[in-house]
Amino acid sequence: MERFLLRSAALATAFTAVSCAATSNDPGASKPIESETSVILQDPVGLWGSKEQGQPWLELAEDGKLTGSDGCNRLTGSWNASEDLQFDALASTKMFCEGVDDWLSRAATAKLEDGNTMLVLDADGKELGTLAFGGKGS
C-alpha cells in the first residue's frame, strides 16, 4: 500500500509539472522581466566606444542625430533604427592623423550584439569594427 501511495504521489507530481510546462506558452502566462541588456538592444541612444584620445566613438542622440570621431576626424550625421541601425548623411572632417585607422568614417549600418557591442558595417555589408557601449548621458 505504501508503494502505491508513493507511486501515486510521483505520478501526480509529474502530471502537474507537465501540465504547467504545457501552459507556459499561453498569452496570459507571466513573461520574464527585461534585463538591462535587452533595453540597450531596443534603445541604442548613448555613447558607443571611448572618448579617449585617438579612440573611435559614436554618440547617438534621442532626436536621431549622431556625433563622433574615428579617433582623429570628427563625425556628424543622423541615425535611425529598424532591424539594424542606419547611418544617414554621415560627414567627416578630413584631417590626417598618423597611425589612426579611419574605419568608422565609412560606417553605413550597424548591428547591436549582446546589448553591449555595436558591430559597424560599410555600405557593402562588410564588417569594419566594433564599439562597446559606453553608457547613456555621457
Side-chain angles (χ1 to χ4, degrees):
M1 178 74 167
E2 192 173 312
R3 283 186 182 170
F4 175 76
L5 289 176
L6 287 175
R7 286 184 186 166
S8 296
L11 284 174
T13 302
F15 178 75
T16 302
V18 168
S19 66
C20 287
T23 60
S24 65
N25 292 331
D26 289 346
S30 64
K31 296 181 181 179
I33 298 171
E34 288 185 320
S35 68
E36 181 68 23
T37 301
S38 66
V39 171
I40 294 168
L41 282 173
Q42 294 174 11
D43 181 12
V45 171
L47 175 65
W48 293 89
S50 170
K51 288 186 177 181
E52 290 182 30
Q53 181 75 25
Q55 297 298 310
W57 60 273
L58 288 177
E59 191 155 12
L60 307 181
E62 286 187 38
D63 64 1
K65 293 181 181 173
L66 74 81
T67 55
S69 172
D70 62 9
C72 174
N73 292 289
R74 291 184 311 270
L75 303 170
T76 187
S78 60
W79 68 275
N80 65 67
S82 53
E83 286 184 27
D84 296 327
L85 295 173
Q86 303 289 320
F87 302 124
D88 302 313
L90 193 60
S92 172
T93 57
K94 298 293 181 190
M95 299 183 294
F96 173 76
C97 296
E98 191 171 329
V100 174
D101 184 353
D102 66 352
W103 63 269
L104 190 54
S105 64
R106 297 186 304 277
T109 62
K111 297 178 184 211
L112 301 183
E113 300 179 332
D114 300 325
N116 59 7
T117 303
M118 178 186 290
L119 175 63
V120 181
L121 308 167
D122 68 10
D124 297 324
K126 181 182 173 195
E127 195 174 308
L128 295 173
T130 59
L131 297 171
F133 184 68
K136 296 207 182 262
S138 57

